[in-house]
Amino acid sequence: MKKQLDYRNKIILAPMVRVGTLPMRLLALKFGADIVYTEEIIDWKLVKTKRRVNDVLKTIDFVDQSDGNVIFRTCEEERGKVVLQMGTADAKRALRVAKMIENDVAAIDINMGCPKAFSIKGGMGAALLYNLENAKLILKTLVDNVSIPVTCKIRIMPELEETLRIVKELEATGISAIAVHGRTKVERPQHPVHTDVIKKIAETLTIPVIANGGSKEIEKYSDIEKFREACGVTSVMIARAAQWNCSIFRKEGELLSVDEIIADYLKMCIVYDNAPANTKYCVQMILRELQESPKGRRFLDSQTLEQICDVWDLGQLCRETQLAYHNAGIQGRRQVCPDEIASKKIKLDNDDQQTTDDIISYNVAFIRVNYSEGTDTELPKTKLYIHSMKTSKQIPKYEVEQKDKLFRAILNFENKKYTSSYWEKNKKFAEQGAALACLLHLGIESKNTLLENGSIIE
């Protein structure tokens, strides 16, 4: 029996790239949001993940098996309220992802409104509105095969009649609701939102219509009600207004100060060990022009989560929490190590071409924070180079291969080849990882040390 999610009379956090991660979703719920959407997550990213129960954070993590990054994290506090928005152009792949996550989210939403070039070129986002048969196939495949509600989020077309034709065909697939951004593919936030078109859609369909695109006019909670009435809907989805100040969801009406919002957000980031880069981006979206203030400039100079928290007097809380997590055995990227941990011989598979060269591979990762700034002589590549000079051996040579925007280096040293089983997001880290594998094999790096600092596990 299909689970239900009531989309009527709801105020919803919209899907926003890099913003809709767990801390911001929980903050929105704390302030009064009824439903929260994840950022758009592309199907092929989730396909590469493995579901992990994080006993330390009390979360469910979908972890990229190639680099250890958490692609999607959720927790009990948002159960029954979080909708995963998926970017996809392929019904089979969409279903594969949906079956992976259907027990951990309240619903699945298909992005049919993103106007960015990345989505359009991949046949995703707003491109699906111009390939309606594929759009309907994706929705129908999911509706017929998953146990949770399926929805989609669209933009309007230049012609009202065309918009109404499309939404009626999408409704016929059996979706539970439809979110409508009241602008066309080419219109941007500076253009007025077409509330009249959203209203006509709501009058035409029988499923709930969620109005989106009104952030330009939404400065306080009462403005949400005005937008809702103008669109003739019962539910409203908020993006930029929530990104700037998440207390927009407070029914009390008064917005909290920027410093209060950031402090509350950072506490969520500390509790759920949020990635520093994502944390910094979201704080920047809250600060906006205040980035030029003295506090803002100090913030911009920060790199780690601890440094960011220090700006808002939360550094000690961050340090204590991270130490507690470390002592509790939090693993992070180490969770995705392959089962075969020991040094082994592998055959390098490069698309359709296979080499016959044996490569010594270790499940060892280069983690930059393990090396202090300004101590380049301790970096694996430098250490190996110095070793080669002292022993009059050949200079290490690196070859880097790339797959799906990830990199792995093959190190050739003394007629042997070395690599790390981790694929990195830049070439430099990939080369450092290969050097680290070589140093471990040569006994220059201690296995116990690497175990302790999280670079390798048994």
Side-chain angles (χ1 to χ4, degrees):
M1 183 176 179
K2 190 178 287 287
K3 300 173 184 176
Q4 300 298 318
L5 180 62
D6 186 4
Y7 285 94
R8 299 185 190 276
N9 301 307
K10 297 294 187 291
I11 299 179
I12 301 167
L13 177 70
M16 290 179 282
V17 175
R18 298 180 69 182
V19 175
T21 46
L22 181 59
M24 191 65 76
R25 298 197 306 266
L26 292 178
L27 194 62
L29 291 172
K30 172 186 174 181
F31 286 133
D34 300 301
I35 298 172
V36 290
Y37 278 52
T38 70
E39 61 178 336
E40 178 194 26
I41 305 178
I42 307 303
D43 54 9
W44 59 262
K45 282 191 175 182
L46 279 166
V47 163
K48 298 192 299 180
T49 65
K50 187 166 185 176
R51 183 183 186 273
R52 298 279 185 176
V53 177
N54 191 321
D55 292 327
V56 178
L57 300 181
K58 309 301 180 188
T59 59
I60 301 297
D61 298 344
F62 286 82
V63 185
D64 189 324
Q65 296 185 81
S66 63
D67 63 10
N69 287 324
V70 177
I71 303 302
F72 172 55
R73 170 170 284 166
T74 186
C75 65
E76 186 62 31
E77 283 75 8
E78 65 175 1
R79 177 170 289 276
K81 298 176 182 178
V82 61
V83 177
L84 185 136
Q85 187 183 70
M86 189 192 311
T88 187
D90 184 90
K92 290 183 179 179
R93 192 162 57 243
L95 179 59
R96 181 179 171 187
V97 170
K99 298 304 288 184
M100 289 171 59
I101 55 90
E102 67 178 324
N103 293 322
D104 295 304
V105 297
I108 297 170
D109 182 80
I110 301 300
N111 186 348
M112 298 186 180
C114 181
K116 300 295 179 64
F118 170 79
S119 288
I120 300 295
K121 290 179 181 178
M124 302 178 291
L128 287 171
L129 298 177
Y130 296 86
N131 186 358
L132 195 56
E133 290 307 310
N134 191 37
K136 292 192 295 182
L137 175 62
I138 292 169
L139 293 176
K140 182 65 173 170
T141 299
L142 295 181
V143 168
D144 289 347
N145 292 283
V146 298
S147 62
I148 55 178
V150 177
T151 65
C152 65
K153 183 174 183 289
I154 69 166
R155 281 183 172 240
I156 63 174
M157 304 297 281
E159 300 295 329
L160 175 62
E161 293 76 13
E162 179 69 359
T163 300
L164 296 180
R165 182 186 70 83
I166 288 174
V167 295
K168 284 190 284 189
E169 291 197 41
L170 295 177
E171 180 185 41
T173 64
I175 56 176
S176 299
I178 186 168
V180 180
H181 184 124
R183 294 184 178 87
T184 67
K185 183 181 71 171
V186 298
E187 290 177 327
R188 293 298 179 264
Q190 64 267 28
H191 297 104
V193 62
H194 300 278
T195 55
D196 57 328
V197 177
I198 299 177
K199 188 171 186 178
K200 192 63 178 178
I201 293 171
E203 293 170 352
T204 301
L205 302 183
T206 59
I207 59 174
V209 174
I210 306 165
N212 177 233
S215 285
K216 189 176 180 181
E217 290 77 32
I218 295 175
E219 296 180 353
K220 53 186 180 299
Y221 187 85
S222 59
D223 294 332
I224 299 175
E225 296 301 318
K226 293 177 183 177
F227 182 63
R228 179 164 24 199
E229 291 175 7
C231 294
V233 299
T234 64
S235 295
V236 172
M237 178 178 280
I238 304 174
R240 288 176 301 129
Q243 171 183 280
W244 297 330
N245 193 319
C246 206
S247 66
I248 193 73
F249 293 107
R250 294 176 76 236
K251 293 180 174 61
E252 295 87 343
E254 289 294 326
L255 293 180
L256 300 181
S257 70
V258 167
D259 281 331
E260 288 178 285
I261 291 296
I262 293 175
D264 281 348
Y265 171 71
L266 289 177
K267 289 173 185 176
M268 296 287 188
C269 292
I270 293 170
V271 170
Y272 291 101
D273 196 32
N274 201 51
N278 178 254
T279 301
K280 188 170 185 177
Y281 178 84
C282 291
V283 173
Q284 285 181 282
M285 295 302 101
I286 300 170
L287 280 175
R288 294 194 287 169
E289 67 275 4
L290 293 177
Q291 292 179 67
E292 296 304 316
S293 67
K295 179 179 282 189
R297 291 176 182 273
R298 182 183 167 203
F299 156 74
L300 291 176
D301 289 336
S302 62
Q303 296 296 325
T304 67
L305 183 59
E306 179 183 332
Q307 290 170 344
I308 296 170
C309 290
D310 270 329
V311 180
W312 279 271
D313 299 322
L314 293 169
Q316 186 61 31
L317 176 63
C318 182
R319 286 185 284 274
E320 291 173 354
T321 304
Q322 289 185 333
L323 179 60
Y325 287 164
H326 176 77
N327 291 337
I330 194 168
Q331 292 182 311
R333 68 181 299 166
R334 295 179 296 165
Q335 293 177 317
V336 299
C337 279
D339 293 333
E340 303 84 2
I341 298 300
S343 171
K344 62 178 182 178
K345 301 281 188 174
I346 63 169
K347 298 291 185 180
L348 177 62
D349 181 7
N350 186 8
D351 295 329
D352 295 328
Q353 180 183 0
Q354 290 189 349
T355 75
T356 57
D357 295 331
D358 288 331
I359 301 173
I360 299 172
S361 174
Y362 283 90
N363 294 328
V364 59
F366 173 72
I367 301 177
R368 188 63 181 87
V369 295
N370 288 337
Y371 302 87
S372 302
E373 296 292 338
T375 57
D376 290 347
T377 56
E378 294 301 313
L379 293 174
K381 282 185 67 177
T382 307
K383 188 178 289 188
L384 181 61
Y385 179 80
I386 293 172
H387 169 76
S388 69
M389 291 297 97
K390 287 181 177 179
T391 56
S392 300
K393 296 181 179 179
Q394 68 180 46
I395 297 175
K397 295 181 179 180
Y398 300 85
E399 295 180 5
V400 180
E401 62 171 342
Q402 179 180 0
K403 288 184 180 180
D404 295 330
K405 299 182 180 180
L406 296 172
F407 301 89
R408 183 174 69 163
I410 308 298
L411 164 63
N412 195 323
F413 182 59
E414 283 293 287
N415 299 319
K416 291 183 180 180
K417 294 184 177 181
Y418 303 88
T419 190
S420 163
S421 60
Y422 287 105
W423 289 70
E424 299 286 354
K425 291 199 172 182
N426 66 61
K427 293 180 180 180
K428 291 182 179 179
F429 278 25
E431 291 177 349
Q432 295 286 5
L436 194 56
C438 179
L439 292 171
L440 179 61
H441 188 78
L442 296 175
I444 299 171
E445 283 286 0
S446 164
K447 186 175 182 179
N448 289 334
T449 299
L450 296 181
L451 283 167
E452 290 175 0
N453 67 25
S455 297
I456 189 174
I457 63 170
E458 292 187 310

